């Protein structure tokens, strides 16, 4: 199982958090998504055989989220 952490500035408000969760739920292979609302930290556990960290990052960036 892979694990990756992103920081997304917008992931501190309810509408953006909901949008990010809905977006990521569409992808097979994501096991767990935890969002820290205080600093926009998103921790993702995923099945590396089904999805890559690049695909996850691309999905967020295509929705105009700036990841760090």
């Amino acid at each position: 199982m892979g694990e990756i952490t992103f920081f997304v500035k917008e992931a501190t408000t309810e509408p953006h958090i909901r949008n990010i969760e809905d977006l990521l739920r569409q992808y097979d292979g994501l096991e767990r998504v935890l969002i820290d609302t205080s600093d926009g930290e998103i921790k993702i556990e995923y099945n590396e055989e089904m999805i890559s960290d690049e695909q996850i990052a691309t999905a967020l960036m295509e929705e105009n989220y700036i990841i760090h």
Side-chain angles (χ1 to χ4, degrees):
M1 182 175 328
E3 205 173 288
I4 191 162
T5 300
F6 297 113
F7 286 89
V8 177
K9 181 178 75 170
E10 298 89 353
T12 58
T13 62
E14 183 62 32
H16 288 290
I17 292 168
R18 195 172 315 118
N19 287 341
I20 290 169
E21 289 174 341
D22 290 346
L23 168 71
L24 295 177
R25 274 193 208 114
Q26 297 175 30
Y27 292 89
D28 292 332
L30 292 183
E31 304 291 331
R32 188 175 193 190
V33 176
L34 299 171
I35 300 176
D36 184 343
T37 59
S38 65
D39 62 1
E41 179 184 34
I42 303 172
K43 289 185 180 182
I44 301 169
E45 294 177 6
Y46 60 98
N47 182 331
E48 295 170 304
E49 294 178 10
M50 298 179 75
I51 193 166
S52 71
D53 55 351
E54 291 89 12
Q55 289 172 304
I56 298 168
T58 299
L60 290 167
M61 290 186 292
E62 285 179 348
E63 292 295 318
N64 297 315
Y65 290 110
I66 299 171
I67 59 174
H68 303 278

Short mmCIF file of all heavy atoms in Angstrom, two decimals:
data_model
loop_
_atom_site.label_atom_id
_atom_site.label_comp_id
_atom_site.label_asym_id
_atom_site.label_seq_id
_atom_site.Cartn_x
_atom_site.Cartn_y
_atom_site.Cartn_z
N MET A 1 0.84 -1.18 0.00
CA MET A 1 0.00 0.00 0.00
C MET A 1 0.89 1.24 0.00
O MET A 1 1.85 1.33 0.74
CB MET A 1 -0.91 0.00 1.22
CG MET A 1 -1.84 1.17 1.22
SD MET A 1 -3.09 1.27 2.53
CE MET A 1 -3.50 -0.40 2.88
N GLY A 2 0.53 2.19 -0.84
CA GLY A 2 1.25 3.45 -0.91
C GLY A 2 0.61 4.49 -0.02
O GLY A 2 -0.56 4.38 0.37
N GLU A 3 1.40 5.49 0.29
CA GLU A 3 0.91 6.59 1.11
C GLU A 3 1.53 7.88 0.58
O GLU A 3 2.71 7.91 0.24
CB GLU A 3 1.35 6.36 2.55
CG GLU A 3 0.49 7.03 3.57
CD GLU A 3 0.89 6.63 4.97
OE1 GLU A 3 0.64 5.48 5.35
OE2 GLU A 3 1.46 7.49 5.66
N ILE A 4 0.72 8.91 0.48
CA ILE A 4 1.21 10.20 0.00
C ILE A 4 0.51 11.30 0.78
O ILE A 4 -0.63 11.14 1.23
CB ILE A 4 0.99 10.36 -1.52
CG1 ILE A 4 1.73 11.57 -2.04
CG2 ILE A 4 -0.48 10.41 -1.87
CD1 ILE A 4 1.94 11.57 -3.53
N THR A 5 1.21 12.41 0.92
CA THR A 5 0.65 13.57 1.62
C THR A 5 0.77 14.80 0.73
O THR A 5 1.83 15.04 0.14
CB THR A 5 1.40 13.83 2.95
OG1 THR A 5 1.28 12.67 3.76
CG2 THR A 5 0.82 15.03 3.67
N PHE A 6 -0.33 15.52 0.62
CA PHE A 6 -0.36 16.78 -0.11
C PHE A 6 -0.84 17.87 0.85
O PHE A 6 -1.56 17.59 1.80
CB PHE A 6 -1.37 16.75 -1.27
CG PHE A 6 -1.08 15.75 -2.34
CD1 PHE A 6 -1.92 14.67 -2.54
CD2 PHE A 6 0.02 15.90 -3.16
CE1 PHE A 6 -1.67 13.77 -3.55
CE2 PHE A 6 0.28 15.00 -4.17
CZ PHE A 6 -0.56 13.92 -4.36
N PHE A 7 -0.45 19.09 0.56
CA PHE A 7 -1.02 20.23 1.25
C PHE A 7 -1.78 21.05 0.22
O PHE A 7 -1.21 21.43 -0.81
CB PHE A 7 0.07 21.09 1.92
CG PHE A 7 0.63 20.45 3.15
CD1 PHE A 7 1.70 19.59 3.08
CD2 PHE A 7 0.05 20.70 4.40
CE1 PHE A 7 2.21 18.99 4.22
CE2 PHE A 7 0.56 20.10 5.54
CZ PHE A 7 1.65 19.24 5.45
N VAL A 8 -3.06 21.27 0.46
CA VAL A 8 -3.92 22.03 -0.44
C VAL A 8 -4.52 23.16 0.37
O VAL A 8 -5.29 22.93 1.31
CB VAL A 8 -5.03 21.13 -1.04
CG1 VAL A 8 -5.96 21.95 -1.91
CG2 VAL A 8 -4.42 19.99 -1.84
N LYS A 9 -4.15 24.38 0.01
CA LYS A 9 -4.59 25.56 0.78
C LYS A 9 -6.10 25.61 0.94
O LYS A 9 -6.62 25.95 2.00
CB LYS A 9 -4.08 26.83 0.08
CG LYS A 9 -4.46 28.11 0.80
CD LYS A 9 -3.90 29.33 0.10
CE LYS A 9 -4.71 29.61 -1.15
NZ LYS A 9 -4.41 30.88 -1.78
N GLU A 10 -6.83 25.25 -0.10
CA GLU A 10 -8.29 25.34 -0.07
C GLU A 10 -8.94 24.26 0.79
O GLU A 10 -10.13 24.35 1.09
CB GLU A 10 -8.86 25.22 -1.50
CG GLU A 10 -8.42 26.31 -2.43
CD GLU A 10 -7.12 25.99 -3.17
OE1 GLU A 10 -6.47 24.98 -2.86
OE2 GLU A 10 -6.76 26.78 -4.05
N ALA A 11 -8.20 23.26 1.20
CA ALA A 11 -8.77 22.14 1.95
C ALA A 11 -8.99 22.47 3.42
O ALA A 11 -8.93 21.60 4.28
CB ALA A 11 -7.88 20.91 1.81
N THR A 12 -9.28 23.73 3.70
CA THR A 12 -9.57 24.14 5.08
C THR A 12 -11.00 24.63 5.24
O THR A 12 -11.40 24.99 6.34
CB THR A 12 -8.60 25.26 5.52
OG1 THR A 12 -8.72 26.36 4.63
CG2 THR A 12 -7.16 24.76 5.54
N THR A 13 -11.76 24.64 4.15
CA THR A 13 -13.15 25.07 4.22
C THR A 13 -14.07 23.93 3.77
O THR A 13 -13.70 23.13 2.90
CB THR A 13 -13.41 26.30 3.33
OG1 THR A 13 -13.16 25.96 1.97
CG2 THR A 13 -12.52 27.47 3.74
N GLU A 14 -15.24 23.89 4.36
CA GLU A 14 -16.17 22.78 4.13
C GLU A 14 -16.50 22.51 2.66
O GLU A 14 -16.44 21.36 2.23
CB GLU A 14 -17.46 23.01 4.93
CG GLU A 14 -18.45 21.88 4.83
CD GLU A 14 -17.92 20.56 5.38
OE1 GLU A 14 -17.13 20.58 6.33
OE2 GLU A 14 -18.32 19.50 4.85
N PRO A 15 -16.82 23.52 1.85
CA PRO A 15 -17.15 23.21 0.45
C PRO A 15 -15.99 22.56 -0.30
O PRO A 15 -16.19 21.61 -1.06
CB PRO A 15 -17.48 24.57 -0.16
CG PRO A 15 -17.77 25.47 0.99
CD PRO A 15 -16.99 24.94 2.15
N HIS A 16 -14.77 23.02 -0.08
CA HIS A 16 -13.62 22.45 -0.77
C HIS A 16 -13.31 21.04 -0.25
O HIS A 16 -12.96 20.16 -1.04
CB HIS A 16 -12.39 23.34 -0.63
CG HIS A 16 -12.48 24.60 -1.44
ND1 HIS A 16 -12.43 24.60 -2.81
CD2 HIS A 16 -12.64 25.89 -1.07
CE1 HIS A 16 -12.54 25.83 -3.26
NE2 HIS A 16 -12.68 26.65 -2.21
N ILE A 17 -13.44 20.85 1.03
CA ILE A 17 -13.19 19.52 1.60
C ILE A 17 -14.17 18.53 1.00
O ILE A 17 -13.78 17.43 0.58
CB ILE A 17 -13.31 19.56 3.14
CG1 ILE A 17 -12.15 20.37 3.73
CG2 ILE A 17 -13.35 18.15 3.73
CD1 ILE A 17 -12.32 20.72 5.19
N ARG A 18 -15.43 18.90 0.94
CA ARG A 18 -16.45 18.02 0.35
C ARG A 18 -16.14 17.73 -1.12
O ARG A 18 -16.24 16.59 -1.57
CB ARG A 18 -17.83 18.65 0.50
CG ARG A 18 -18.95 17.68 0.25
CD ARG A 18 -20.33 18.23 0.57
NE ARG A 18 -20.40 18.95 1.84
CZ ARG A 18 -20.72 20.25 1.94
NH1 ARG A 18 -21.02 20.96 0.88
NH2 ARG A 18 -20.77 20.84 3.12
N ASN A 19 -15.73 18.76 -1.87
CA ASN A 19 -15.39 18.57 -3.27
C ASN A 19 -14.21 17.63 -3.44
O ASN A 19 -14.21 16.76 -4.33
CB ASN A 19 -15.09 19.90 -3.94
CG ASN A 19 -16.33 20.74 -4.18
OD1 ASN A 19 -17.44 20.23 -4.17
ND2 ASN A 19 -16.14 22.02 -4.36
N ILE A 20 -13.19 17.79 -2.62
CA ILE A 20 -12.01 16.93 -2.70
C ILE A 20 -12.38 15.49 -2.36
O ILE A 20 -11.98 14.55 -3.06
CB ILE A 20 -10.89 17.46 -1.78
CG1 ILE A 20 -10.33 18.77 -2.36
CG2 ILE A 20 -9.78 16.43 -1.62
CD1 ILE A 20 -9.41 19.53 -1.42
N GLU A 21 -13.15 15.29 -1.31
CA GLU A 21 -13.57 13.94 -0.94
C GLU A 21 -14.40 13.30 -2.04
O GLU A 21 -14.17 12.14 -2.40
CB GLU A 21 -14.36 13.97 0.36
CG GLU A 21 -13.52 14.27 1.58
CD GLU A 21 -14.33 14.46 2.85
OE1 GLU A 21 -15.56 14.72 2.78
OE2 GLU A 21 -13.70 14.34 3.91
N ASP A 22 -15.33 14.05 -2.63
CA ASP A 22 -16.16 13.52 -3.72
C ASP A 22 -15.31 13.18 -4.93
O ASP A 22 -15.51 12.16 -5.58
CB ASP A 22 -17.25 14.52 -4.11
CG ASP A 22 -18.33 14.66 -3.04
OD1 ASP A 22 -18.40 13.82 -2.13
OD2 ASP A 22 -19.09 15.65 -3.12
N LEU A 23 -14.35 14.04 -5.23
CA LEU A 23 -13.46 13.81 -6.37
C LEU A 23 -12.66 12.53 -6.17
O LEU A 23 -12.61 11.67 -7.05
CB LEU A 23 -12.51 15.00 -6.53
CG LEU A 23 -11.33 14.80 -7.49
CD1 LEU A 23 -11.83 14.74 -8.92
CD2 LEU A 23 -10.30 15.89 -7.31
N LEU A 24 -12.05 12.38 -5.02
CA LEU A 24 -11.18 11.23 -4.79
C LEU A 24 -11.95 9.92 -4.66
O LEU A 24 -11.43 8.86 -5.00
CB LEU A 24 -10.32 11.48 -3.55
CG LEU A 24 -9.32 12.63 -3.69
CD1 LEU A 24 -8.57 12.85 -2.38
CD2 LEU A 24 -8.35 12.39 -4.84
N ARG A 25 -13.20 9.98 -4.23
CA ARG A 25 -14.03 8.76 -4.14
C ARG A 25 -14.28 8.13 -5.50
O ARG A 25 -14.64 6.96 -5.59
CB ARG A 25 -15.37 9.08 -3.49
CG ARG A 25 -15.33 9.04 -2.01
CD ARG A 25 -16.74 9.04 -1.42
NE ARG A 25 -16.65 9.64 -0.11
CZ ARG A 25 -17.20 10.79 0.24
NH1 ARG A 25 -17.93 11.46 -0.61
NH2 ARG A 25 -17.04 11.26 1.44
N GLN A 26 -14.13 8.88 -6.56
CA GLN A 26 -14.38 8.38 -7.91
C GLN A 26 -13.31 7.40 -8.38
O GLN A 26 -13.52 6.68 -9.35
CB GLN A 26 -14.44 9.54 -8.90
CG GLN A 26 -15.57 10.50 -8.65
CD GLN A 26 -15.50 11.69 -9.59
OE1 GLN A 26 -15.03 11.58 -10.71
NE2 GLN A 26 -15.95 12.84 -9.12
N TYR A 27 -12.18 7.37 -7.70
CA TYR A 27 -11.05 6.57 -8.16
C TYR A 27 -10.94 5.26 -7.39
O TYR A 27 -10.93 5.24 -6.17
CB TYR A 27 -9.73 7.37 -8.03
CG TYR A 27 -9.70 8.53 -8.98
CD1 TYR A 27 -10.20 9.77 -8.61
CD2 TYR A 27 -9.20 8.38 -10.27
CE1 TYR A 27 -10.20 10.84 -9.49
CE2 TYR A 27 -9.19 9.43 -11.15
CZ TYR A 27 -9.70 10.66 -10.76
OH TYR A 27 -9.70 11.71 -11.63
N ASP A 28 -10.84 4.17 -8.14
CA ASP A 28 -10.61 2.87 -7.54
C ASP A 28 -9.18 2.83 -7.01
O ASP A 28 -8.27 3.39 -7.61
CB ASP A 28 -10.81 1.75 -8.56
CG ASP A 28 -12.26 1.59 -8.99
OD1 ASP A 28 -13.15 1.91 -8.16
OD2 ASP A 28 -12.49 1.15 -10.11
N GLY A 29 -9.00 2.16 -5.91
CA GLY A 29 -7.66 1.99 -5.36
C GLY A 29 -7.34 2.91 -4.21
O GLY A 29 -6.32 2.72 -3.55
N LEU A 30 -8.17 3.91 -3.96
CA LEU A 30 -7.93 4.77 -2.81
C LEU A 30 -8.52 4.08 -1.58
O LEU A 30 -9.71 3.76 -1.55
CB LEU A 30 -8.56 6.15 -3.00
CG LEU A 30 -7.93 7.01 -4.08
CD1 LEU A 30 -8.58 8.38 -4.12
CD2 LEU A 30 -6.45 7.16 -3.87
N GLU A 31 -7.68 3.85 -0.60
CA GLU A 31 -8.10 3.12 0.59
C GLU A 31 -8.59 4.05 1.69
O GLU A 31 -9.55 3.76 2.38
CB GLU A 31 -6.93 2.29 1.13
CG GLU A 31 -6.34 1.32 0.11
CD GLU A 31 -7.25 0.18 -0.25
OE1 GLU A 31 -8.07 -0.21 0.60
OE2 GLU A 31 -7.15 -0.32 -1.38
N ARG A 32 -7.90 5.19 1.85
CA ARG A 32 -8.22 6.09 2.95
C ARG A 32 -7.79 7.50 2.60
O ARG A 32 -6.71 7.71 2.06
CB ARG A 32 -7.48 5.61 4.19
CG ARG A 32 -7.83 6.29 5.45
CD ARG A 32 -7.11 5.62 6.58
NE ARG A 32 -7.67 6.06 7.84
CZ ARG A 32 -7.15 5.80 9.00
NH1 ARG A 32 -6.08 5.08 9.10
NH2 ARG A 32 -7.70 6.25 10.10
N VAL A 33 -8.64 8.47 2.93
CA VAL A 33 -8.32 9.88 2.72
C VAL A 33 -8.60 10.61 4.02
O VAL A 33 -9.72 10.57 4.53
CB VAL A 33 -9.17 10.50 1.58
CG1 VAL A 33 -8.89 11.98 1.44
CG2 VAL A 33 -8.92 9.77 0.26
N LEU A 34 -7.58 11.25 4.57
CA LEU A 34 -7.72 12.03 5.79
C LEU A 34 -7.34 13.47 5.50
O LEU A 34 -6.28 13.73 4.93
CB LEU A 34 -6.81 11.49 6.90
CG LEU A 34 -7.06 10.05 7.34
CD1 LEU A 34 -5.96 9.58 8.27
CD2 LEU A 34 -8.41 9.95 8.03
N ILE A 35 -8.21 14.41 5.88
CA ILE A 35 -7.96 15.82 5.63
C ILE A 35 -7.89 16.55 6.95
O ILE A 35 -8.82 16.49 7.75
CB ILE A 35 -9.04 16.43 4.72
CG1 ILE A 35 -9.08 15.70 3.38
CG2 ILE A 35 -8.79 17.93 4.53
CD1 ILE A 35 -10.18 16.16 2.44
N ASP A 36 -6.77 17.23 7.17
CA ASP A 36 -6.59 18.06 8.37
C ASP A 36 -7.06 19.46 8.01
O ASP A 36 -6.42 20.16 7.23
CB ASP A 36 -5.13 18.06 8.79
CG ASP A 36 -4.89 18.83 10.07
OD1 ASP A 36 -5.77 19.63 10.48
OD2 ASP A 36 -3.82 18.64 10.67
N THR A 37 -8.18 19.87 8.57
CA THR A 37 -8.79 21.14 8.20
C THR A 37 -8.03 22.35 8.71
O THR A 37 -8.25 23.46 8.25
CB THR A 37 -10.24 21.22 8.71
OG1 THR A 37 -10.24 21.07 10.13
CG2 THR A 37 -11.09 20.14 8.08
N SER A 38 -7.11 22.15 9.64
CA SER A 38 -6.38 23.30 10.17
C SER A 38 -5.30 23.79 9.22
O SER A 38 -5.01 24.98 9.17
CB SER A 38 -5.77 22.97 11.53
OG SER A 38 -4.78 21.96 11.40
N ASP A 39 -4.70 22.87 8.44
CA ASP A 39 -3.62 23.30 7.55
C ASP A 39 -3.75 22.78 6.12
O ASP A 39 -2.88 23.00 5.29
CB ASP A 39 -2.26 22.92 8.12
CG ASP A 39 -2.07 21.42 8.28
OD1 ASP A 39 -2.99 20.64 7.93
OD2 ASP A 39 -1.00 21.01 8.77
N GLY A 40 -4.84 22.09 5.79
CA GLY A 40 -5.06 21.61 4.43
C GLY A 40 -4.24 20.39 4.07
O GLY A 40 -4.09 20.06 2.90
N GLU A 41 -3.73 19.68 5.07
CA GLU A 41 -2.95 18.47 4.81
C GLU A 41 -3.90 17.33 4.43
O GLU A 41 -4.88 17.07 5.11
CB GLU A 41 -2.16 18.09 6.05
CG GLU A 41 -1.34 16.83 5.86
CD GLU A 41 -0.62 16.42 7.13
OE1 GLU A 41 -1.17 16.63 8.23
OE2 GLU A 41 0.49 15.89 7.02
N ILE A 42 -3.57 16.67 3.33
CA ILE A 42 -4.37 15.54 2.87
C ILE A 42 -3.46 14.32 2.84
O ILE A 42 -2.49 14.28 2.09
CB ILE A 42 -4.94 15.78 1.46
CG1 ILE A 42 -5.78 17.05 1.44
CG2 ILE A 42 -5.76 14.58 1.01
CD1 ILE A 42 -6.22 17.45 0.04
N LYS A 43 -3.79 13.33 3.67
CA LYS A 43 -3.03 12.07 3.68
C LYS A 43 -3.87 11.02 2.97
O LYS A 43 -5.05 10.84 3.28
CB LYS A 43 -2.76 11.62 5.11
CG LYS A 43 -1.75 12.47 5.83
CD LYS A 43 -1.45 11.89 7.19
CE LYS A 43 -0.43 12.76 7.90
NZ LYS A 43 -0.05 12.22 9.20
N ILE A 44 -3.25 10.36 2.02
CA ILE A 44 -3.97 9.39 1.21
C ILE A 44 -3.23 8.06 1.25
O ILE A 44 -2.02 8.00 1.01
CB ILE A 44 -4.08 9.88 -0.25
CG1 ILE A 44 -4.82 11.22 -0.29
CG2 ILE A 44 -4.79 8.84 -1.11
CD1 ILE A 44 -4.76 11.92 -1.63
N GLU A 45 -3.96 6.99 1.55
CA GLU A 45 -3.45 5.64 1.43
C GLU A 45 -4.11 5.02 0.21
O GLU A 45 -5.32 5.15 0.02
CB GLU A 45 -3.78 4.82 2.68
CG GLU A 45 -3.08 5.30 3.93
CD GLU A 45 -3.48 4.51 5.16
OE1 GLU A 45 -4.21 3.50 5.06
OE2 GLU A 45 -3.05 4.92 6.25
N TYR A 46 -3.31 4.37 -0.62
CA TYR A 46 -3.85 3.86 -1.87
C TYR A 46 -3.18 2.55 -2.28
O TYR A 46 -2.07 2.23 -1.84
CB TYR A 46 -3.69 4.90 -2.98
CG TYR A 46 -2.26 5.29 -3.27
CD1 TYR A 46 -1.56 4.72 -4.33
CD2 TYR A 46 -1.59 6.22 -2.49
CE1 TYR A 46 -0.25 5.07 -4.59
CE2 TYR A 46 -0.28 6.58 -2.73
CZ TYR A 46 0.38 5.99 -3.79
OH TYR A 46 1.70 6.32 -4.03
N ASN A 47 -3.85 1.81 -3.12
CA ASN A 47 -3.33 0.57 -3.67
C ASN A 47 -2.49 0.92 -4.89
O ASN A 47 -3.02 1.35 -5.92
CB ASN A 47 -4.49 -0.35 -4.05
CG ASN A 47 -4.04 -1.68 -4.58
OD1 ASN A 47 -2.98 -1.81 -5.18
ND2 ASN A 47 -4.87 -2.69 -4.38
N GLU A 48 -1.20 0.71 -4.79
CA GLU A 48 -0.27 1.09 -5.86
C GLU A 48 -0.47 0.29 -7.14
O GLU A 48 -0.02 0.71 -8.20
CB GLU A 48 1.17 0.91 -5.38
CG GLU A 48 1.53 1.84 -4.24
CD GLU A 48 2.86 1.49 -3.61
OE1 GLU A 48 3.01 0.33 -3.17
OE2 GLU A 48 3.71 2.38 -3.57
N GLU A 49 -1.15 -0.84 -7.05
CA GLU A 49 -1.41 -1.64 -8.24
C GLU A 49 -2.60 -1.10 -9.03
O GLU A 49 -2.80 -1.47 -10.19
CB GLU A 49 -1.64 -3.10 -7.86
CG GLU A 49 -0.39 -3.74 -7.28
CD GLU A 49 -0.63 -5.17 -6.86
OE1 GLU A 49 -1.69 -5.74 -7.18
OE2 GLU A 49 0.27 -5.73 -6.20
N MET A 50 -3.39 -0.23 -8.40
CA MET A 50 -4.59 0.28 -9.05
C MET A 50 -4.49 1.74 -9.45
O MET A 50 -5.16 2.17 -10.39
CB MET A 50 -5.80 0.08 -8.13
CG MET A 50 -6.09 -1.37 -7.82
SD MET A 50 -7.48 -1.57 -6.71
CE MET A 50 -8.84 -1.23 -7.81
N ILE A 51 -3.70 2.52 -8.73
CA ILE A 51 -3.59 3.96 -9.00
C ILE A 51 -2.21 4.43 -8.53
O ILE A 51 -1.65 3.87 -7.59
CB ILE A 51 -4.73 4.75 -8.31
CG1 ILE A 51 -4.80 6.18 -8.83
CG2 ILE A 51 -4.61 4.69 -6.80
CD1 ILE A 51 -6.09 6.91 -8.45
N SER A 52 -1.69 5.45 -9.19
CA SER A 52 -0.38 5.98 -8.82
C SER A 52 -0.52 7.33 -8.13
O SER A 52 -1.55 8.00 -8.25
CB SER A 52 0.50 6.13 -10.06
OG SER A 52 0.03 7.20 -10.87
N ASP A 53 0.53 7.73 -7.44
CA ASP A 53 0.50 9.04 -6.79
C ASP A 53 0.41 10.15 -7.82
O ASP A 53 -0.20 11.18 -7.59
CB ASP A 53 1.68 9.23 -5.85
CG ASP A 53 3.04 9.02 -6.50
OD1 ASP A 53 3.11 8.55 -7.65
OD2 ASP A 53 4.05 9.33 -5.84
N GLU A 54 0.98 9.93 -9.02
CA GLU A 54 0.87 10.93 -10.08
C GLU A 54 -0.57 11.10 -10.55
O GLU A 54 -1.01 12.21 -10.83
CB GLU A 54 1.76 10.56 -11.28
CG GLU A 54 3.23 10.65 -11.00
CD GLU A 54 3.81 9.34 -10.46
OE1 GLU A 54 3.12 8.30 -10.51
OE2 GLU A 54 4.93 9.37 -9.95
N GLN A 55 -1.31 10.01 -10.62
CA GLN A 55 -2.71 10.09 -11.04
C GLN A 55 -3.54 10.84 -10.00
O GLN A 55 -4.43 11.60 -10.37
CB GLN A 55 -3.28 8.68 -11.24
CG GLN A 55 -2.74 7.99 -12.47
CD GLN A 55 -3.19 6.55 -12.54
OE1 GLN A 55 -2.96 5.78 -11.60
NE2 GLN A 55 -3.84 6.19 -13.63
N ILE A 56 -3.24 10.63 -8.74
CA ILE A 56 -3.96 11.32 -7.68
C ILE A 56 -3.67 12.82 -7.74
O ILE A 56 -4.57 13.65 -7.69
CB ILE A 56 -3.58 10.76 -6.29
CG1 ILE A 56 -3.97 9.28 -6.20
CG2 ILE A 56 -4.23 11.57 -5.18
CD1 ILE A 56 -3.38 8.55 -5.01
N ALA A 57 -2.39 13.16 -7.90
CA ALA A 57 -2.00 14.57 -7.99
C ALA A 57 -2.64 15.23 -9.21
O ALA A 57 -3.15 16.35 -9.13
CB ALA A 57 -0.48 14.70 -8.05
N THR A 58 -2.64 14.53 -10.33
CA THR A 58 -3.24 15.07 -11.55
C THR A 58 -4.73 15.32 -11.37
O THR A 58 -5.25 16.34 -11.82
CB THR A 58 -2.99 14.11 -12.73
OG1 THR A 58 -1.57 13.99 -12.93
CG2 THR A 58 -3.64 14.62 -14.01
N ALA A 59 -5.42 14.41 -10.69
CA ALA A 59 -6.86 14.57 -10.46
C ALA A 59 -7.12 15.85 -9.67
O ALA A 59 -8.04 16.61 -10.00
CB ALA A 59 -7.41 13.36 -9.71
N LEU A 60 -6.31 16.11 -8.66
CA LEU A 60 -6.48 17.33 -7.86
C LEU A 60 -6.16 18.58 -8.69
O LEU A 60 -6.89 19.57 -8.65
CB LEU A 60 -5.61 17.27 -6.61
CG LEU A 60 -6.04 16.27 -5.55
CD1 LEU A 60 -4.94 16.07 -4.52
CD2 LEU A 60 -7.32 16.72 -4.88
N MET A 61 -5.08 18.52 -9.44
CA MET A 61 -4.68 19.69 -10.24
C MET A 61 -5.68 19.99 -11.35
O MET A 61 -5.90 21.15 -11.69
CB MET A 61 -3.27 19.50 -10.80
CG MET A 61 -2.21 19.58 -9.71
SD MET A 61 -0.51 19.53 -10.33
CE MET A 61 -0.40 17.87 -10.93
N GLU A 62 -6.30 18.96 -11.91
CA GLU A 62 -7.31 19.18 -12.96
C GLU A 62 -8.55 19.89 -12.41
O GLU A 62 -9.29 20.50 -13.17
CB GLU A 62 -7.71 17.85 -13.60
CG GLU A 62 -6.65 17.33 -14.54
CD GLU A 62 -7.01 15.99 -15.18
OE1 GLU A 62 -7.98 15.33 -14.74
OE2 GLU A 62 -6.30 15.60 -16.11
N GLU A 63 -8.75 19.84 -11.11
CA GLU A 63 -9.85 20.56 -10.47
C GLU A 63 -9.37 21.92 -9.93
O GLU A 63 -10.05 22.53 -9.13
CB GLU A 63 -10.45 19.73 -9.34
CG GLU A 63 -11.16 18.48 -9.83
CD GLU A 63 -12.38 18.81 -10.67
OE1 GLU A 63 -13.14 19.72 -10.30
OE2 GLU A 63 -12.56 18.14 -11.70
N ASN A 64 -8.18 22.34 -10.39
CA ASN A 64 -7.60 23.63 -10.06
C ASN A 64 -7.17 23.77 -8.60
O ASN A 64 -7.09 24.88 -8.07
CB ASN A 64 -8.52 24.79 -10.44
CG ASN A 64 -8.76 24.83 -11.93
OD1 ASN A 64 -7.83 24.69 -12.71
ND2 ASN A 64 -10.00 25.01 -12.33
N TYR A 65 -6.87 22.66 -7.95
CA TYR A 65 -6.29 22.71 -6.62
C TYR A 65 -4.78 22.77 -6.76
O TYR A 65 -4.19 22.01 -7.54
CB TYR A 65 -6.69 21.49 -5.77
CG TYR A 65 -8.16 21.52 -5.39
CD1 TYR A 65 -9.06 20.63 -5.93
CD2 TYR A 65 -8.63 22.46 -4.49
CE1 TYR A 65 -10.40 20.66 -5.59
CE2 TYR A 65 -9.97 22.50 -4.13
CZ TYR A 65 -10.84 21.60 -4.69
OH TYR A 65 -12.17 21.64 -4.35
N ILE A 66 -4.16 23.66 -6.03
CA ILE A 66 -2.71 23.79 -6.05
C ILE A 66 -2.18 22.94 -4.91
O ILE A 66 -2.51 23.18 -3.74
CB ILE A 66 -2.28 25.25 -5.90
CG1 ILE A 66 -2.84 26.03 -7.08
CG2 ILE A 66 -0.77 25.37 -5.82
CD1 ILE A 66 -2.67 27.54 -6.94
N ILE A 67 -1.37 21.95 -5.26
CA ILE A 67 -0.85 21.05 -4.23
C ILE A 67 0.61 21.35 -3.94
O ILE A 67 1.35 21.81 -4.81
CB ILE A 67 -1.04 19.57 -4.63
CG1 ILE A 67 -0.32 19.28 -5.94
CG2 ILE A 67 -2.50 19.24 -4.74
CD1 ILE A 67 -0.35 17.82 -6.33
N HIS A 68 0.98 21.10 -2.72
CA HIS A 68 2.36 21.30 -2.29
C HIS A 68 2.86 20.01 -1.70
O HIS A 68 2.15 19.25 -1.14
CB HIS A 68 2.45 22.40 -1.23
CG HIS A 68 1.89 23.70 -1.68
ND1 HIS A 68 2.60 24.58 -2.43
CD2 HIS A 68 0.68 24.27 -1.49
CE1 HIS A 68 1.85 25.66 -2.67
NE2 HIS A 68 0.69 25.47 -2.11
#
